[in-house]
Amino acid sequence: MHEFSTMQAIVNAILEEAEKYKAKEINKVVLQIGELTFLGEEQMKFAFDILKEGTLLEKAELLIEKVQARVRCKCGYKGSIDYGMKEEFHITIPILKCPKCGSEVEIIKGRECTIKKVEMEVPDVPVKR
Ligand SMILES: [Zn+2]
């Protein structure tokens, strides 16, 4: 399950960060997920619910922001990509070709999977290191 391993890495990164700040609890996590990652939002949330058990993330709310794909072509085209139906799989897949001239395009946006924001409870007193 692609989503599970991705979420595992995200959860680990957040918990590591929370430890640095000596967080007591994490309230909210905002993720940005590009549409070209093919990560399912529901599956991501499901994985998060399992992984957060017994951690500082236990009560955290997970928000997922979808990032639309943006491509650039040598002909000057810049924008979204076309989606086509691939018959044999019955799924919609993005066509990584320029809608204007048909050349291969360069992906500018849509492949990211980033932690945009983490809200956590930290002690009021600065921690001495
Ligand atoms: Zn083009």
Side-chain angles (χ1 to χ4, degrees), residues 95-107:
I95 299 167
L96 295 179
K97 287 211 166 26
C98 175
K100 258 178 138 181
C101 71
S103 314
E104 294 266 322
V105 288
E106 185 195 338
I107 298 161

Side-chain angles (χ1 to χ4, degrees), residues 70-83:
R70 278 277 173 281
V71 297
R72 179 165 58 198
C73 178
K74 53 181 187 283
C75 77
Y77 174 82
K78 212 172 168 185
S80 57
I81 42 169
D82 279 348
Y83 281 84

